[in-house]
Amino acid sequence: MGPPNRATDLLRLEEIAARLRIEIIEMLGKAGSGHPGGSLSVIDIVTCLYFSKMRHDPKRPEWPERDRFILSKGHAVPAQYAALAEAGYFPKQELGTLRKLGSRLQGHPVRNSVPGIEACTGSLGQGLSIAQGMAIASKLDGGKFHVYCVIGDGESQEGQIWEAAMSAPKYQVDTLTAILDYNHGQIDGYVDQVMPLEPVIDKWRAFNWNVLEIDGNQMAQISDALDQARNFKGKPTFIVAHTVKGKGVSFMENQIAWHGMAPNPEQTAKALAELRAAYQKRFGGTHGS
Ligand SMILES: Cc1ncc(C[n+]2csc(CCOP(=O)(O)OP(=O)(O)O)c2C)c(N)n1
Ligand SMILES: [Mg+2]
């Protein structure tokens, strides 16, 4: 069997993302707390990374040459847990323990507790600096692995983000790709109103990054941008990914209230019905009970 063609591969990734959206809502519904908006906006990017672009091996989570993924906006970790379980880092049944006392799956990523989690994040602003350190280590070692880091648009108000923005080009860290989940919402309002990021592309270009702009909920665009980023030499790449907060669940989309609120049982059922209907329409068959 040869390699899959592009259309087949994109469809495969879209199918995974559609399933992981369902699993995110199931997890949050059971947990009774958590962050649906930013998990649903980023899941297409996370899916493309784990199931197409990253060199990693769930059986060897500490393999030195693995690519690293740092979710700097750590509150969206249900998206990463769903991907890690799908990839085989831990059993899917464990997803149902999210945020429960004694569970490995805490509300924010914890390194050394969950295989596949590379850094403790959730205190916003720190992940890009951590990622840059790893990416420099890779570069010093001959560029054996690439580091991917997702930051939020609200998170971009943290000063430390701009310290990393300033220093990565100085060290020509081309083993680093940062992706901005530009979903326009933060914890208590719209980013444009709380602290505008614009002109975001000009800013990162001025800091001397290779900047790309995509629709971060379109698999083909995500895939192409990640390929370009990895192949670009001499500078780190910054991907401005326009996304929709709460993407896929109509009553959550672009609603600030759904930043950090879990759906109640009735809302969970409604969201799952929508996601399953969309899945069925697009891919046939059913997913989940
Ligand atoms: C240092 C720090 N300050 C405040 C918070 C509380 N907090 C959690 S999520 C959030 C908003 C983040 O917005 P954004 O980065 O846009 O996330 P997304 O929209 O992707 O969910 C804030 C302020 C935090 N986690 N860390
Ligand atoms: Mg946001």
Side-chain angles (χ1 to χ4, degrees), residues 66-68 70 127-149 168 171-178 209 235-237:
R66 71 194 182 281
D67 290 339
R68 271 68 161 171
I70 309 284
L128 188 55
S129 301
I130 298 170
Q132 188 192 157
M134 292 174 173
I136 290 174
S138 170
K139 206 172 154 62
L140 290 172
D141 212 14
K144 294 202 179 91
F145 59 89
H146 201 87
V147 186
Y148 298 93
C149 178
Y171 296 106
Q172 302 180 332
V173 191
D174 48 16
T175 42
L176 175 65
T177 297
W209 288 60
K235 289 182 185 185
T237 292

PDB file of all heavy atoms in Angstrom, residues 66-68 70 127-149 168 171-178 209 235-237:
ATOM      1  N   ARG A  66      11.525  12.533  19.925  1.00  0.00           N
ATOM      2  CA  ARG A  66      10.116  12.834  19.634  1.00  0.00           C
ATOM      3  C   ARG A  66       9.917  14.326  19.433  1.00  0.00           C
ATOM      4  O   ARG A  66      10.618  15.138  20.055  1.00  0.00           O
ATOM      5  CB  ARG A  66       9.225  12.369  20.790  1.00  0.00           C
ATOM      6  CG  ARG A  66       9.389  13.233  22.048  1.00  0.00           C
ATOM      7  CD  ARG A  66       8.783  12.588  23.271  1.00  0.00           C
ATOM      8  NE  ARG A  66       8.911  13.438  24.448  1.00  0.00           N
ATOM      9  CZ  ARG A  66      10.022  13.581  25.178  1.00  0.00           C
ATOM     10  NH1 ARG A  66      11.115  12.924  24.835  1.00  0.00           N
ATOM     11  NH2 ARG A  66      10.041  14.385  26.221  1.00  0.00           N
ATOM     12  N   ASP A  67       8.981  14.685  18.577  1.00  0.00           N
ATOM     13  CA  ASP A  67       8.554  16.085  18.523  1.00  0.00           C
ATOM     14  C   ASP A  67       7.795  16.401  19.803  1.00  0.00           C
ATOM     15  O   ASP A  67       7.155  15.520  20.391  1.00  0.00           O
ATOM     16  CB  ASP A  67       7.640  16.310  17.311  1.00  0.00           C
ATOM     17  CG  ASP A  67       8.410  16.233  15.990  1.00  0.00           C
ATOM     18  OD1 ASP A  67       9.648  16.407  16.005  1.00  0.00           O
ATOM     19  OD2 ASP A  67       7.760  15.983  14.957  1.00  0.00           O
ATOM     20  N   ARG A  68       7.877  17.656  20.207  1.00  0.00           N
ATOM     21  CA  ARG A  68       7.189  18.071  21.434  1.00  0.00           C
ATOM     22  C   ARG A  68       5.982  18.944  21.115  1.00  0.00           C
ATOM     23  O   ARG A  68       6.044  19.768  20.198  1.00  0.00           O
ATOM     24  CB  ARG A  68       8.130  18.905  22.312  1.00  0.00           C
ATOM     25  CG  ARG A  68       8.994  18.144  23.301  1.00  0.00           C
ATOM     26  CD  ARG A  68      10.038  17.312  22.659  1.00  0.00           C
ATOM     27  NE  ARG A  68      11.118  16.940  23.583  1.00  0.00           N
ATOM     28  CZ  ARG A  68      12.070  16.081  23.305  1.00  0.00           C
ATOM     29  NH1 ARG A  68      12.109  15.464  22.122  1.00  0.00           N
ATOM     30  NH2 ARG A  68      13.007  15.791  24.178  1.00  0.00           N
ATOM     31  N   ILE A  70       3.516  21.585  23.222  1.00  0.00           N
ATOM     32  CA  ILE A  70       3.251  22.303  24.476  1.00  0.00           C
ATOM     33  C   ILE A  70       1.948  23.082  24.315  1.00  0.00           C
ATOM     34  O   ILE A  70       1.857  23.980  23.465  1.00  0.00           O
ATOM     35  CB  ILE A  70       4.370  23.330  24.796  1.00  0.00           C
ATOM     36  CG1 ILE A  70       5.749  22.693  24.725  1.00  0.00           C
ATOM     37  CG2 ILE A  70       4.106  24.010  26.148  1.00  0.00           C
ATOM     38  CD1 ILE A  70       6.121  21.833  25.875  1.00  0.00           C
ATOM     39  N   GLY A 127       4.280  28.882  28.432  1.00  0.00           N
ATOM     40  CA  GLY A 127       4.547  27.733  27.548  1.00  0.00           C
ATOM     41  C   GLY A 127       5.455  28.036  26.379  1.00  0.00           C
ATOM     42  O   GLY A 127       6.262  27.193  25.965  1.00  0.00           O
ATOM     43  N   LEU A 128       5.356  29.241  25.828  1.00  0.00           N
ATOM     44  CA  LEU A 128       6.174  29.542  24.650  1.00  0.00           C
ATOM     45  C   LEU A 128       7.650  29.629  25.032  1.00  0.00           C
ATOM     46  O   LEU A 128       8.522  29.262  24.247  1.00  0.00           O
ATOM     47  CB  LEU A 128       5.691  30.833  23.978  1.00  0.00           C
ATOM     48  CG  LEU A 128       6.328  31.160  22.624  1.00  0.00           C
ATOM     49  CD1 LEU A 128       6.171  30.007  21.626  1.00  0.00           C
ATOM     50  CD2 LEU A 128       5.742  32.441  22.035  1.00  0.00           C
ATOM     51  N   SER A 129       7.931  30.094  26.244  1.00  0.00           N
ATOM     52  CA  SER A 129       9.325  30.141  26.700  1.00  0.00           C
ATOM     53  C   SER A 129       9.855  28.725  26.929  1.00  0.00           C
ATOM     54  O   SER A 129      11.003  28.413  26.594  1.00  0.00           O
ATOM     55  CB  SER A 129       9.439  30.944  27.995  1.00  0.00           C
ATOM     56  OG  SER A 129       8.979  32.259  27.808  1.00  0.00           O
ATOM     57  N   ILE A 130       9.015  27.875  27.504  1.00  0.00           N
ATOM     58  CA  ILE A 130       9.410  26.476  27.720  1.00  0.00           C
ATOM     59  C   ILE A 130       9.686  25.814  26.364  1.00  0.00           C
ATOM     60  O   ILE A 130      10.706  25.149  26.163  1.00  0.00           O
ATOM     61  CB  ILE A 130       8.300  25.704  28.472  1.00  0.00           C
ATOM     62  CG1 ILE A 130       8.064  26.312  29.856  1.00  0.00           C
ATOM     63  CG2 ILE A 130       8.641  24.216  28.567  1.00  0.00           C
ATOM     64  CD1 ILE A 130       6.825  25.771  30.572  1.00  0.00           C
ATOM     65  N   ALA A 131       8.778  26.041  25.426  1.00  0.00           N
ATOM     66  CA  ALA A 131       8.916  25.447  24.086  1.00  0.00           C
ATOM     67  C   ALA A 131      10.189  25.945  23.414  1.00  0.00           C
ATOM     68  O   ALA A 131      10.910  25.183  22.755  1.00  0.00           O
ATOM     69  CB  ALA A 131       7.689  25.797  23.238  1.00  0.00           C
ATOM     70  N   GLN A 132      10.459  27.225  23.590  1.00  0.00           N
ATOM     71  CA  GLN A 132      11.661  27.780  22.972  1.00  0.00           C
ATOM     72  C   GLN A 132      12.922  27.122  23.538  1.00  0.00           C
ATOM     73  O   GLN A 132      13.863  26.818  22.801  1.00  0.00           O
ATOM     74  CB  GLN A 132      11.728  29.296  23.190  1.00  0.00           C
ATOM     75  CG  GLN A 132      12.851  29.912  22.406  1.00  0.00           C
ATOM     76  CD  GLN A 132      13.164  31.349  22.792  1.00  0.00           C
ATOM     77  OE1 GLN A 132      14.263  31.815  22.571  1.00  0.00           O
ATOM     78  NE2 GLN A 132      12.205  32.060  23.354  1.00  0.00           N
ATOM     79  N   GLY A 133      12.938  26.901  24.851  1.00  0.00           N
ATOM     80  CA  GLY A 133      14.091  26.233  25.455  1.00  0.00           C
ATOM     81  C   GLY A 133      14.304  24.853  24.857  1.00  0.00           C
ATOM     82  O   GLY A 133      15.428  24.466  24.514  1.00  0.00           O
ATOM     83  N   MET A 134      13.210  24.106  24.710  1.00  0.00           N
ATOM     84  CA  MET A 134      13.316  22.765  24.115  1.00  0.00           C
ATOM     85  C   MET A 134      13.788  22.860  22.668  1.00  0.00           C
ATOM     86  O   MET A 134      14.602  22.046  22.210  1.00  0.00           O
ATOM     87  CB  MET A 134      11.953  22.071  24.157  1.00  0.00           C
ATOM     88  CG  MET A 134      11.480  21.723  25.547  1.00  0.00           C
ATOM     89  SD  MET A 134       9.795  21.067  25.467  1.00  0.00           S
ATOM     90  CE  MET A 134       9.566  20.554  27.177  1.00  0.00           C
ATOM     91  N   ALA A 135      13.266  23.853  21.957  1.00  0.00           N
ATOM     92  CA  ALA A 135      13.603  23.994  20.538  1.00  0.00           C
ATOM     93  C   ALA A 135      15.076  24.376  20.364  1.00  0.00           C
ATOM     94  O   ALA A 135      15.735  23.942  19.414  1.00  0.00           O
ATOM     95  CB  ALA A 135      12.696  25.033  19.883  1.00  0.00           C
ATOM     96  N   ILE A 136      15.592  25.174  21.279  1.00  0.00           N
ATOM     97  CA  ILE A 136      17.022  25.514  21.229  1.00  0.00           C
ATOM     98  C   ILE A 136      17.852  24.248  21.498  1.00  0.00           C
ATOM     99  O   ILE A 136      18.857  23.989  20.827  1.00  0.00           O
ATOM    100  CB  ILE A 136      17.361  26.635  22.239  1.00  0.00           C
ATOM    101  CG1 ILE A 136      16.755  27.957  21.769  1.00  0.00           C
ATOM    102  CG2 ILE A 136      18.877  26.782  22.408  1.00  0.00           C
ATOM    103  CD1 ILE A 136      16.896  29.115  22.753  1.00  0.00           C
ATOM    104  N   ALA A 137      17.399  23.458  22.473  1.00  0.00           N
ATOM    105  CA  ALA A 137      18.111  22.202  22.762  1.00  0.00           C
ATOM    106  C   ALA A 137      18.153  21.329  21.508  1.00  0.00           C
ATOM    107  O   ALA A 137      19.191  20.747  21.169  1.00  0.00           O
ATOM    108  CB  ALA A 137      17.424  21.464  23.913  1.00  0.00           C
ATOM    109  N   SER A 138      17.035  21.252  20.809  1.00  0.00           N
ATOM    110  CA  SER A 138      16.999  20.449  19.581  1.00  0.00           C
ATOM    111  C   SER A 138      17.985  20.995  18.551  1.00  0.00           C
ATOM    112  O   SER A 138      18.734  20.249  17.916  1.00  0.00           O
ATOM    113  CB  SER A 138      15.581  20.439  18.998  1.00  0.00           C
ATOM    114  OG  SER A 138      15.584  19.861  17.717  1.00  0.00           O
ATOM    115  N   LYS A 139      17.975  22.302  18.401  1.00  0.00           N
ATOM    116  CA  LYS A 139      18.865  22.936  17.409  1.00  0.00           C
ATOM    117  C   LYS A 139      20.335  22.652  17.740  1.00  0.00           C
ATOM    118  O   LYS A 139      21.120  22.322  16.855  1.00  0.00           O
ATOM    119  CB  LYS A 139      18.602  24.438  17.419  1.00  0.00           C
ATOM    120  CG  LYS A 139      18.928  25.124  16.104  1.00  0.00           C
ATOM    121  CD  LYS A 139      18.470  26.568  16.127  1.00  0.00           C
ATOM    122  CE  LYS A 139      19.281  27.430  15.196  1.00  0.00           C
ATOM    123  NZ  LYS A 139      19.202  27.075  13.774  1.00  0.00           N
ATOM    124  N   LEU A 140      20.675  22.772  19.012  1.00  0.00           N
ATOM    125  CA  LEU A 140      22.059  22.515  19.431  1.00  0.00           C
ATOM    126  C   LEU A 140      22.456  21.075  19.149  1.00  0.00           C
ATOM    127  O   LEU A 140      23.624  20.750  18.937  1.00  0.00           O
ATOM    128  CB  LEU A 140      22.214  22.796  20.935  1.00  0.00           C
ATOM    129  CG  LEU A 140      22.142  24.274  21.350  1.00  0.00           C
ATOM    130  CD1 LEU A 140      22.115  24.402  22.865  1.00  0.00           C
ATOM    131  CD2 LEU A 140      23.327  25.045  20.765  1.00  0.00           C
ATOM    132  N   ASP A 141      21.443  20.222  19.135  1.00  0.00           N
ATOM    133  CA  ASP A 141      21.681  18.793  18.971  1.00  0.00           C
ATOM    134  C   ASP A 141      21.467  18.348  17.518  1.00  0.00           C
ATOM    135  O   ASP A 141      21.217  17.173  17.263  1.00  0.00           O
ATOM    136  CB  ASP A 141      20.712  18.053  19.908  1.00  0.00           C
ATOM    137  CG  ASP A 141      21.304  16.757  20.414  1.00  0.00           C
ATOM    138  OD1 ASP A 141      22.519  16.570  20.270  1.00  0.00           O
ATOM    139  OD2 ASP A 141      20.526  15.919  20.934  1.00  0.00           O
ATOM    140  N   GLY A 142      21.486  19.282  16.602  1.00  0.00           N
ATOM    141  CA  GLY A 142      21.367  18.921  15.183  1.00  0.00           C
ATOM    142  C   GLY A 142      19.946  18.919  14.648  1.00  0.00           C
ATOM    143  O   GLY A 142      19.680  18.429  13.552  1.00  0.00           O
ATOM    144  N   GLY A 143      19.015  19.475  15.404  1.00  0.00           N
ATOM    145  CA  GLY A 143      17.631  19.624  14.904  1.00  0.00           C
ATOM    146  C   GLY A 143      16.888  18.321  14.768  1.00  0.00           C
ATOM    147  O   GLY A 143      16.136  18.115  13.815  1.00  0.00           O
ATOM    148  N   LYS A 144      17.047  17.435  15.757  1.00  0.00           N
ATOM    149  CA  LYS A 144      16.426  16.104  15.628  1.00  0.00           C
ATOM    150  C   LYS A 144      14.916  16.134  15.844  1.00  0.00           C
ATOM    151  O   LYS A 144      14.200  15.226  15.446  1.00  0.00           O
ATOM    152  CB  LYS A 144      17.060  15.147  16.640  1.00  0.00           C
ATOM    153  CG  LYS A 144      18.528  14.853  16.352  1.00  0.00           C
ATOM    154  CD  LYS A 144      18.958  13.537  16.993  1.00  0.00           C
ATOM    155  CE  LYS A 144      20.406  13.219  16.701  1.00  0.00           C
ATOM    156  NZ  LYS A 144      21.341  13.734  17.705  1.00  0.00           N
ATOM    157  N   PHE A 145      14.429  17.136  16.549  1.00  0.00           N
ATOM    158  CA  PHE A 145      12.974  17.184  16.737  1.00  0.00           C
ATOM    159  C   PHE A 145      12.463  18.618  16.621  1.00  0.00           C
ATOM    160  O   PHE A 145      13.230  19.579  16.716  1.00  0.00           O
ATOM    161  CB  PHE A 145      12.568  16.575  18.093  1.00  0.00           C
ATOM    162  CG  PHE A 145      13.165  17.245  19.305  1.00  0.00           C
ATOM    163  CD1 PHE A 145      12.529  18.318  19.913  1.00  0.00           C
ATOM    164  CD2 PHE A 145      14.363  16.789  19.853  1.00  0.00           C
ATOM    165  CE1 PHE A 145      13.074  18.930  21.034  1.00  0.00           C
ATOM    166  CE2 PHE A 145      14.913  17.389  20.985  1.00  0.00           C
ATOM    167  CZ  PHE A 145      14.267  18.475  21.574  1.00  0.00           C
ATOM    168  N   HIS A 146      11.161  18.720  16.394  1.00  0.00           N
ATOM    169  CA  HIS A 146      10.517  20.018  16.247  1.00  0.00           C
ATOM    170  C   HIS A 146       9.599  20.245  17.448  1.00  0.00           C
ATOM    171  O   HIS A 146       9.044  19.285  17.990  1.00  0.00           O
ATOM    172  CB  HIS A 146       9.717  20.043  14.940  1.00  0.00           C
ATOM    173  CG  HIS A 146       9.431  21.424  14.448  1.00  0.00           C
ATOM    174  ND1 HIS A 146      10.305  22.134  13.652  1.00  0.00           N
ATOM    175  CD2 HIS A 146       8.367  22.248  14.649  1.00  0.00           C
ATOM    176  CE1 HIS A 146       9.787  23.331  13.380  1.00  0.00           C
ATOM    177  NE2 HIS A 146       8.612  23.420  13.981  1.00  0.00           N
ATOM    178  N   VAL A 147       9.449  21.484  17.840  1.00  0.00           N
ATOM    179  CA  VAL A 147       8.597  21.810  18.984  1.00  0.00           C
ATOM    180  C   VAL A 147       7.434  22.677  18.517  1.00  0.00           C
ATOM    181  O   VAL A 147       7.643  23.687  17.827  1.00  0.00           O
ATOM    182  CB  VAL A 147       9.395  22.546  20.089  1.00  0.00           C
ATOM    183  CG1 VAL A 147       8.522  22.742  21.328  1.00  0.00           C
ATOM    184  CG2 VAL A 147      10.661  21.769  20.442  1.00  0.00           C
ATOM    185  N   TYR A 148       6.246  22.253  18.884  1.00  0.00           N
ATOM    186  CA  TYR A 148       5.030  22.988  18.537  1.00  0.00           C
ATOM    187  C   TYR A 148       4.400  23.532  19.813  1.00  0.00           C
ATOM    188  O   TYR A 148       4.307  22.809  20.812  1.00  0.00           O
ATOM    189  CB  TYR A 148       4.029  22.050  17.850  1.00  0.00           C
ATOM    190  CG  TYR A 148       4.549  21.474  16.558  1.00  0.00           C
ATOM    191  CD1 TYR A 148       5.195  20.235  16.536  1.00  0.00           C
ATOM    192  CD2 TYR A 148       4.402  22.168  15.354  1.00  0.00           C
ATOM    193  CE1 TYR A 148       5.680  19.703  15.346  1.00  0.00           C
ATOM    194  CE2 TYR A 148       4.881  21.638  14.164  1.00  0.00           C
ATOM    195  CZ  TYR A 148       5.513  20.406  14.168  1.00  0.00           C
ATOM    196  OH  TYR A 148       5.993  19.886  13.002  1.00  0.00           O
ATOM    197  N   CYS A 149       3.971  24.765  19.763  1.00  0.00           N
ATOM    198  CA  CYS A 149       3.386  25.382  20.952  1.00  0.00           C
ATOM    199  C   CYS A 149       2.127  26.145  20.562  1.00  0.00           C
ATOM    200  O   CYS A 149       2.155  26.972  19.644  1.00  0.00           O
ATOM    201  CB  CYS A 149       4.399  26.334  21.579  1.00  0.00           C
ATOM    202  SG  CYS A 149       3.762  27.209  23.018  1.00  0.00           S
ATOM    203  N   ALA A 168      13.340  34.289  20.448  1.00  0.00           N
ATOM    204  CA  ALA A 168      13.440  33.134  19.525  1.00  0.00           C
ATOM    205  C   ALA A 168      14.082  33.506  18.184  1.00  0.00           C
ATOM    206  O   ALA A 168      14.941  32.768  17.682  1.00  0.00           O
ATOM    207  CB  ALA A 168      12.074  32.481  19.332  1.00  0.00           C
ATOM    208  N   TYR A 171      17.922  33.751  18.296  1.00  0.00           N
ATOM    209  CA  TYR A 171      18.642  32.474  18.276  1.00  0.00           C
ATOM    210  C   TYR A 171      18.277  31.635  17.038  1.00  0.00           C
ATOM    211  O   TYR A 171      18.625  30.458  16.964  1.00  0.00           O
ATOM    212  CB  TYR A 171      18.371  31.703  19.576  1.00  0.00           C
ATOM    213  CG  TYR A 171      18.919  32.450  20.783  1.00  0.00           C
ATOM    214  CD1 TYR A 171      18.067  33.112  21.664  1.00  0.00           C
ATOM    215  CD2 TYR A 171      20.285  32.541  21.000  1.00  0.00           C
ATOM    216  CE1 TYR A 171      18.566  33.837  22.756  1.00  0.00           C
ATOM    217  CE2 TYR A 171      20.797  33.259  22.068  1.00  0.00           C
ATOM    218  CZ  TYR A 171      19.934  33.902  22.948  1.00  0.00           C
ATOM    219  OH  TYR A 171      20.434  34.618  24.001  1.00  0.00           O
ATOM    220  N   GLN A 172      17.560  32.237  16.120  1.00  0.00           N
ATOM    221  CA  GLN A 172      17.181  31.578  14.849  1.00  0.00           C
ATOM    222  C   GLN A 172      16.594  30.188  15.106  1.00  0.00           C
ATOM    223  O   GLN A 172      16.973  29.198  14.475  1.00  0.00           O
ATOM    224  CB  GLN A 172      18.394  31.479  13.925  1.00  0.00           C
ATOM    225  CG  GLN A 172      18.996  32.852  13.632  1.00  0.00           C
ATOM    226  CD  GLN A 172      20.199  32.794  12.727  1.00  0.00           C
ATOM    227  OE1 GLN A 172      20.931  31.797  12.693  1.00  0.00           O
ATOM    228  NE2 GLN A 172      20.423  33.841  11.968  1.00  0.00           N
ATOM    229  N   VAL A 173      15.654  30.152  16.035  1.00  0.00           N
ATOM    230  CA  VAL A 173      15.109  28.862  16.476  1.00  0.00           C
ATOM    231  C   VAL A 173      14.087  28.338  15.457  1.00  0.00           C
ATOM    232  O   VAL A 173      12.877  28.428  15.651  1.00  0.00           O
ATOM    233  CB  VAL A 173      14.472  28.985  17.883  1.00  0.00           C
ATOM    234  CG1 VAL A 173      14.164  27.592  18.423  1.00  0.00           C
ATOM    235  CG2 VAL A 173      15.398  29.688  18.847  1.00  0.00           C
ATOM    236  N   ASP A 174      14.601  27.770  14.375  1.00  0.00           N
ATOM    237  CA  ASP A 174      13.689  27.270  13.342  1.00  0.00           C
ATOM    238  C   ASP A 174      13.141  25.879  13.666  1.00  0.00           C
ATOM    239  O   ASP A 174      12.421  25.285  12.862  1.00  0.00           O
ATOM    240  CB  ASP A 174      14.361  27.297  11.960  1.00  0.00           C
ATOM    241  CG  ASP A 174      15.747  26.682  11.973  1.00  0.00           C
ATOM    242  OD1 ASP A 174      16.091  25.962  12.945  1.00  0.00           O
ATOM    243  OD2 ASP A 174      16.508  26.922  11.006  1.00  0.00           O
ATOM    244  N   THR A 175      13.471  25.380  14.834  1.00  0.00           N
ATOM    245  CA  THR A 175      12.884  24.119  15.316  1.00  0.00           C
ATOM    246  C   THR A 175      11.619  24.393  16.142  1.00  0.00           C
ATOM    247  O   THR A 175      11.097  23.499  16.789  1.00  0.00           O
ATOM    248  CB  THR A 175      13.914  23.382  16.201  1.00  0.00           C
ATOM    249  OG1 THR A 175      14.552  24.360  17.050  1.00  0.00           O
ATOM    250  CG2 THR A 175      14.974  22.694  15.367  1.00  0.00           C
ATOM    251  N   LEU A 176      11.151  25.628  16.098  1.00  0.00           N
ATOM    252  CA  LEU A 176       9.982  26.034  16.892  1.00  0.00           C
ATOM    253  C   LEU A 176       8.869  26.573  15.995  1.00  0.00           C
ATOM    254  O   LEU A 176       9.115  27.415  15.130  1.00  0.00           O
ATOM    255  CB  LEU A 176      10.403  27.143  17.878  1.00  0.00           C
ATOM    256  CG  LEU A 176       9.298  27.796  18.721  1.00  0.00           C
ATOM    257  CD1 LEU A 176       8.664  26.792  19.679  1.00  0.00           C
ATOM    258  CD2 LEU A 176       9.861  28.989  19.516  1.00  0.00           C
ATOM    259  N   THR A 177       7.673  26.060  16.206  1.00  0.00           N
ATOM    260  CA  THR A 177       6.483  26.627  15.560  1.00  0.00           C
ATOM    261  C   THR A 177       5.485  26.992  16.640  1.00  0.00           C
ATOM    262  O   THR A 177       5.103  26.137  17.452  1.00  0.00           O
ATOM    263  CB  THR A 177       5.833  25.610  14.597  1.00  0.00           C
ATOM    264  OG1 THR A 177       6.758  25.307  13.550  1.00  0.00           O
ATOM    265  CG2 THR A 177       4.548  26.160  13.986  1.00  0.00           C
ATOM    266  N   ALA A 178       5.093  28.247  16.674  1.00  0.00           N
ATOM    267  CA  ALA A 178       4.044  28.682  17.598  1.00  0.00           C
ATOM    268  C   ALA A 178       2.754  28.868  16.803  1.00  0.00           C
ATOM    269  O   ALA A 178       2.786  29.333  15.662  1.00  0.00           O
ATOM    270  CB  ALA A 178       4.444  29.986  18.267  1.00  0.00           C
ATOM    271  N   TRP A 209       9.653  36.953  13.068  1.00  0.00           N
ATOM    272  CA  TRP A 209       9.201  35.572  12.880  1.00  0.00           C
ATOM    273  C   TRP A 209       8.735  35.387  11.435  1.00  0.00           C
ATOM    274  O   TRP A 209       8.335  36.352  10.773  1.00  0.00           O
ATOM    275  CB  TRP A 209       8.038  35.259  13.822  1.00  0.00           C
ATOM    276  CG  TRP A 209       8.420  35.132  15.268  1.00  0.00           C
ATOM    277  CD1 TRP A 209       8.998  36.088  16.056  1.00  0.00           C
ATOM    278  CD2 TRP A 209       8.240  33.975  16.099  1.00  0.00           C
ATOM    279  NE1 TRP A 209       9.186  35.595  17.332  1.00  0.00           N
ATOM    280  CE2 TRP A 209       8.725  34.295  17.383  1.00  0.00           C
ATOM    281  CE3 TRP A 209       7.707  32.701  15.899  1.00  0.00           C
ATOM    282  CZ2 TRP A 209       8.706  33.401  18.454  1.00  0.00           C
ATOM    283  CZ3 TRP A 209       7.681  31.804  16.951  1.00  0.00           C
ATOM    284  CH2 TRP A 209       8.184  32.149  18.220  1.00  0.00           C
ATOM    285  N   LYS A 235      14.385  31.010  10.871  1.00  0.00           N
ATOM    286  CA  LYS A 235      13.529  31.771  11.791  1.00  0.00           C
ATOM    287  C   LYS A 235      12.488  30.823  12.393  1.00  0.00           C
ATOM    288  O   LYS A 235      12.097  29.849  11.747  1.00  0.00           O
ATOM    289  CB  LYS A 235      12.725  32.825  11.020  1.00  0.00           C
ATOM    290  CG  LYS A 235      13.468  34.002  10.483  1.00  0.00           C
ATOM    291  CD  LYS A 235      12.468  34.927   9.794  1.00  0.00           C
ATOM    292  CE  LYS A 235      13.164  36.083   9.109  1.00  0.00           C
ATOM    293  NZ  LYS A 235      12.196  37.033   8.541  1.00  0.00           N
ATOM    294  N   PRO A 236      11.989  31.156  13.575  1.00  0.00           N
ATOM    295  CA  PRO A 236      10.827  30.418  14.071  1.00  0.00           C
ATOM    296  C   PRO A 236       9.589  30.839  13.277  1.00  0.00           C
ATOM    297  O   PRO A 236       9.564  31.927  12.702  1.00  0.00           O
ATOM    298  CB  PRO A 236      10.710  30.895  15.527  1.00  0.00           C
ATOM    299  CG  PRO A 236      11.344  32.247  15.543  1.00  0.00           C
ATOM    300  CD  PRO A 236      12.413  32.236  14.479  1.00  0.00           C
ATOM    301  N   THR A 237       8.603  29.966  13.240  1.00  0.00           N
ATOM    302  CA  THR A 237       7.360  30.291  12.518  1.00  0.00           C
ATOM    303  C   THR A 237       6.217  30.545  13.505  1.00  0.00           C
ATOM    304  O   THR A 237       6.110  29.863  14.530  1.00  0.00           O
ATOM    305  CB  THR A 237       6.978  29.140  11.563  1.00  0.00           C
ATOM    306  OG1 THR A 237       7.953  29.082  10.509  1.00  0.00           O
ATOM    307  CG2 THR A 237       5.600  29.349  10.941  1.00  0.00           C
TER     308      THR A 237
END
